[in-house]
């Protein structure tokens, strides 16, 4: 609250010593934004008395994060790090190396690669003559990287943020800024061997994260295009109809058909024929059956896709993952650059939303489906789009939907009231008496130099009880206690926090004893 005689008020008033709004000479209310702080209300009340004016300025600040973004507290970050570690270990287990690319690309690099989703690309203001956009995914930058560096063979993973101007659904793990965890194999190899390994990787990660029962749906763009061809879809409508079919996991068939017919001009009888096919699910046996289908067998590209689907399932049987993989003709994947096998992993049950107060979704929403948690496919022509001579590098890749996975992991931790450690500290160096700060710091330095994760409280004379309580609250398993007698005897009293057991350990053997006990915990 600011109050003062108007004759003494300068043209600019300081609010909270940080903000400088120019006060209107006469108004009842005003709404202002200063430096990114959104003010829900700025009330200015003027009262006139003779030749003087009393003015009252009241400002209420409400700080909000940008739409489609969020902050993460230490407990949430601990969960994220665990998920990232699981994913990276799997990628490395399969022999991948990592790269990085800029967060923005030339706009022309991204243009024409995403079909109807191109409208979701964030364009940046022209800076110095370059038209730039924030990357929409990690796949197109990877293809550009391969073409620029003339790389024809690589197995790589890339974990980084991407940006989409989408309608955020925070409770479902859909954001405008989010991480993607990509694994891709580029190179000329025998059919379906890399494709099968990518599906195996998705299976391993989702199984290890223990998110619940899941299914990995697979299809092939060649089968889809062949299906559209024999059903009578005009060539120029293949991609747009494919984008509509891709909505079947979110919309009913009636709504999808309505969009095909009324919005995209497809004949109703053609849509009905598509409907007969996209309702089919199965495995290797379904691929064999469709190869005998009177209509679909007339398409060469559909037959090529079905033959590869049979081969894919034979490799998946060897990898012991066919129990989770289903051949689903409704799977379309809307991105334009896919040319062969496509896949998408979904959880087979709905989950309740995490009880976080987000700007873009109500807390405690029940029965929320997080949608797909992984997806990908083959894109054999994308690298050639960046090569002057059009030289192609066949590629297959998968991406883990880390934000959706994290939403589930966070929710599980809350439901189980799981205590999550936010640090990895192994031992706290404590003192039992006063005036031992120097001794505590010396011992802490010895532990750090030996690679031990150690902490010390930033007080000269902390109470022993406070130091022990800090360990219990933060999950530190061991306490190295120094006292005058321990220093005199050349020992340290090592306490196990969980059992409260204490043992004297010689200073020379402390590092090895701490390492041994940490391995046992």
């Amino acid at each position: 609250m600011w109050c003062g005689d108007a004759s003494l008020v300068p043209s600019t008033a300081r609010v909270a010593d940080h903000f400088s709004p120019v006060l209107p000479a006469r108004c009842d209310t005003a709404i202002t934004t200063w430096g990114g702080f959104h003010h829900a209300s700025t009330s200015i009340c003027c009262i006139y008395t003779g030749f003087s004016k009393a003015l009252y300025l009241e400002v209420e600040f409400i700080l909000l994060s940008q739409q489609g973004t969020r902050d993460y507290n230490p407990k949430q970050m601990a969960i994220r790090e665990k998920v990232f570690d699981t994913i990276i270990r799997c990628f490395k287990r399969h022999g991948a190396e990592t790269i990085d690319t800029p967060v923005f690309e030339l706009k022309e690099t991204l243009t024409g690669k995403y079909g109807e989703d191109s409208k979701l690309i964030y364009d940046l203001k022209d800076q110095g003559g370059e038209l730039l956009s924030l990357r929409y995914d990690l796949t197109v930058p990877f293809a550009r990287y391969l073409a620029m560096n003339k790389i024809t063979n690589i197995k790589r993973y890339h974990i980084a943020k991407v940006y989409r101007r989408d309608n955020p659904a925070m409770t479902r793990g859909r954001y405008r800024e989010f991480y993607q965890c990509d694994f891709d194999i580029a190179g000329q190899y025998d059919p379906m061997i890399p494709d099968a390994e990518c599906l195996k990787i998705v299976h391993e990660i989702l199984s290890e994260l223990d998110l619940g029962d899941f299914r990995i749906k697979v299809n092939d763009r060649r089968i889809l295009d062949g299906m559209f061809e024999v059903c009578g879809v005009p060539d120029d409508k293949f991609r747009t109809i494919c984008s509509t079919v891709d909505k079947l996991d979110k919309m009913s068939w009636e709504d999808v058909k309505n969009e095909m017919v009324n919005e995209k001009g497809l004949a109703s009888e053609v849509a009905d024929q598509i409907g007969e096919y996209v309702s089919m699910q199965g495995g290797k046996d379904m691929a064999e059956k469709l190869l005998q289908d009177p209509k679909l067998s007339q398409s060469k590209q559909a037959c090529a896709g079905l033959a590869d689907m049979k081969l894919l399932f034979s490799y998946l049987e060897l990898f012991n993952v066919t129990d989770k993989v289903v051949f689903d003709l409704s799977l379309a994947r809307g991105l334009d650059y896919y040319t062969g096998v496509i896949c998408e992993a979904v959880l087979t049950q709905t989950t309740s939303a995490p009880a976080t107060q987000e700007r873009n979704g109500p807390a405690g929403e029940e029965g929320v489906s997080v949608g797909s948690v992984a997806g990908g496919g083959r894109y054999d022509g994308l690298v050639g789009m960046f090569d002057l001579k059009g030289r192609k590098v066949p590629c297959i890749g998968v991406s883990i939907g880390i934000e959706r996975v994290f939403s589930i992991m966070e929710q599980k931790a809350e439901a189980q009231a799981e205590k999550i450690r936010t640090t990895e500290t192994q031992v706290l160096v404590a003192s039992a008496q006063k005036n031992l700060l120097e001794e505590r710091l010396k011992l802490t330095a010895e532990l750090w130099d030996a690679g031990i994760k150690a902490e010390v409280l930033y007080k000269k004379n902390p109470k022993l009880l406070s130091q022990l309580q800090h360990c219990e609250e933060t999950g530190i398993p061991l306490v190295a206690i120094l006292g005058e007698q321990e220093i005199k005897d050349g020992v340290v009293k090592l306490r196990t926090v969980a059992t409260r057991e204490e043992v004297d350990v010689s200073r020379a053997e402390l590092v090895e004893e701490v390492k041994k006990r940490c391995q046992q915990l």
Side-chain angles (χ1 to χ4, degrees):
M1 175 74 74
W2 179 88
C3 176
D5 191 312
S7 64
L8 302 177
V9 179
S11 61
T12 300
R14 292 279 178 187
V15 180
D17 294 327
H18 290 291
F19 306 104
S20 304
V22 176
L23 300 178
R26 185 179 300 181
C27 72
D28 295 321
T29 60
I31 297 177
T32 314
T33 301
W34 297 317
F37 287 85
H38 300 279
H39 301 255
S41 64
T42 302
S43 301
I44 302 176
C45 179
C46 300
I47 303 174
Y48 292 90
T49 306
F51 293 101
S52 65
K53 178 173 66 174
L55 186 148
Y56 298 85
L57 176 62
E58 183 177 351
V59 181
E60 179 185 348
F61 297 97
I62 298 179
L63 299 180
L64 300 172
S65 60
Q66 300 89 330
Q67 263 196 340
T69 66
R70 63 175 292 189
D71 298 317
Y72 295 91
N73 63 40
K75 288 186 178 180
Q76 292 166 336
M77 285 304 299
I79 296 172
R80 288 174 73 85
E81 287 179 358
K82 179 181 177 182
V83 174
F84 280 134
D85 181 61
T86 298
I87 293 170
I88 290 172
R89 278 190 287 109
C90 180
F91 289 166
K92 289 185 175 182
R93 187 163 61 241
H94 285 263
E97 50 195 340
T98 190
I99 68 166
D100 196 14
T101 60
V103 71
F104 50 81
E105 295 277 346
L106 291 172
K107 183 176 180 177
E108 64 194 51
T109 298
L110 306 183
T111 301
K113 312 299 189 304
Y114 302 108
E116 294 183 357
D117 283 349
S118 292
K119 62 181 180 291
L120 303 181
I121 295 174
Y122 272 108
D123 293 330
L124 301 179
K125 188 176 180 181
D126 182 13
Q127 298 284 347
E130 286 189 326
L131 295 178
L132 305 173
S133 299
L134 294 178
R135 61 188 175 202
Y136 177 91
D137 65 7
L138 301 178
T139 305
V140 172
F142 175 55
R144 189 265 307 154
Y145 169 84
L146 294 180
M148 273 184 61
N149 294 281
K150 296 181 172 53
I151 296 172
T152 58
N153 187 305
I154 189 175
K155 184 189 293 186
R156 84 87 169 88
Y157 74 89
H158 190 187
I159 297 178
K161 286 183 177 181
V162 299
Y163 300 85
R164 297 183 185 179
R165 200 175 58 191
D166 203 351
N167 290 322
M170 310 293 270
T171 57
R172 294 181 59 192
R174 188 164 71 216
Y175 300 88
R176 288 179 169 179
E177 176 194 62
F178 57 95
Y179 274 96
Q180 281 192 338
C181 303
D182 282 20
F183 176 98
D184 294 80
I185 301 172
Q188 190 73 50
Y189 301 105
D190 289 339
M192 297 298 107
I193 301 175
D195 309 61
E197 183 174 7
C198 285
L199 294 174
K200 171 67 171 171
I201 286 169
V202 174
H203 187 282
E204 286 181 10
I205 290 172
L206 296 183
S207 298
E208 191 170 346
L209 291 175
D210 192 24
L211 302 174
D213 196 24
F214 63 90
R215 289 290 179 272
I216 303 173
K217 299 188 289 186
V218 296
N219 199 359
D220 194 300
R221 270 293 176 81
R222 293 168 297 174
I223 299 174
L224 276 171
D225 287 350
M227 177 183 73
F228 293 150
E229 178 188 349
V230 300
C231 289
V233 178
D235 291 354
D236 61 348
K237 290 186 182 292
F238 274 22
R239 292 285 75 86
T240 185
I241 296 301
C242 187
S243 294
T244 302
V245 171
D246 191 45
K247 299 175 182 177
L248 274 170
D249 61 337
K250 309 178 189 73
M251 297 164 52
S252 67
W253 166 248
E254 290 73 19
D255 291 336
V256 167
K257 179 183 175 182
N258 181 64
E259 182 176 314
M260 287 180 180
V261 175
N262 297 328
E263 295 182 26
K264 300 191 173 177
L266 195 66
S268 180
E269 58 272 18
V270 173
D272 288 336
Q273 292 183 61
I274 294 173
E276 294 177 11
Y277 283 112
V278 297
S279 63
M280 300 176 68
Q281 293 184 352
K284 185 178 180 179
D285 56 337
M286 192 176 91
E288 294 172 345
K289 178 183 175 182
L290 288 172
L291 279 169
Q292 306 303 319
D293 182 85
K295 287 193 296 184
L296 207 54
S297 59
Q298 296 175 19
S299 168
K300 289 184 178 180
Q301 60 178 340
C303 289
L306 289 167
D308 278 349
M309 190 62 63
K310 280 181 59 180
L311 183 60
L312 175 66
F313 269 89
S314 67
Y315 293 143
L316 295 177
E317 288 173 1
L318 298 174
F319 286 154
N320 296 315
V321 297
T322 50
D323 60 318
K324 299 292 186 182
V325 182
V326 57
F327 178 18
D328 187 339
L329 278 181
S330 71
L331 178 64
R333 305 287 295 171
L335 302 181
D336 279 359
Y337 52 65
Y338 288 126
T339 58
V341 168
I342 52 177
C343 67
E344 187 169 279
V346 296
L347 300 184
T348 57
Q349 76 279 346
T350 57
T351 61
S352 58
T356 53
Q357 294 182 349
E358 299 291 353
R359 179 177 181 179
N360 300 291
E365 188 178 336
E366 295 296 328
V368 176
S369 170
V370 297
S372 65
V373 291
R378 177 163 285 281
Y379 51 101
D380 290 348
L382 187 56
V383 177
M385 296 175 71
F386 299 107
D387 189 275
L388 292 176
K389 297 182 179 179
R391 289 169 293 202
K392 295 182 178 180
V393 178
C395 299
I396 174 75
V398 290
S399 181
I400 307 299
I402 187 68
E403 306 300 345
R404 291 177 174 179
V405 168
F406 171 67
S407 293
I408 301 165
M409 299 286 284
E410 181 184 8
Q411 166 198 311
K412 284 178 64 176
E414 289 179 0
Q416 298 169 3
E418 181 182 345
K419 189 171 182 179
I420 299 169
R421 283 200 66 187
T422 58
T423 71
E424 297 181 2
T425 305
Q426 297 167 306
V427 58
L428 177 78
V429 178
S431 58
Q433 285 114 17
K434 293 182 178 181
N435 302 319
L436 294 177
L437 175 61
E438 290 80 3
E439 293 295 334
R440 284 191 292 137
L441 294 179
K442 283 168 59 179
L443 180 56
T444 304
E446 290 176 18
L447 294 172
W448 286 338
D449 292 342
I452 301 294
K453 298 169 183 175
E455 279 188 48
V456 62
L457 294 191
Y458 304 133
K459 287 188 176 182
K460 284 187 176 181
N461 298 305
K463 294 179 180 179
L464 180 59
L465 180 60
S466 299
Q467 296 171 90
L468 297 178
Q469 285 177 340
H470 175 74
C471 292
E472 291 182 356
E473 291 169 359
T474 58
I476 299 174
L478 300 172
V479 189
I481 303 174
L482 288 171
E484 292 177 356
Q485 189 62 46
E486 283 79 12
I487 295 171
K488 182 179 178 181
D489 296 341
V491 299
V492 175
K493 194 177 294 296
L494 192 60
R495 177 186 176 107
T496 302
V497 175
T499 63
R500 301 187 178 181
E501 172 196 358
E502 294 183 348
V503 60
D504 287 342
V505 180
S506 73
R507 190 80 169 245
E509 297 175 351
L510 179 62
V511 169
E512 290 305 316
E513 184 65 23
V514 169
K515 289 180 178 179
K516 185 177 78 172
R517 290 189 176 229
C518 287
Q519 289 176 349
Q520 295 172 350
L521 293 172

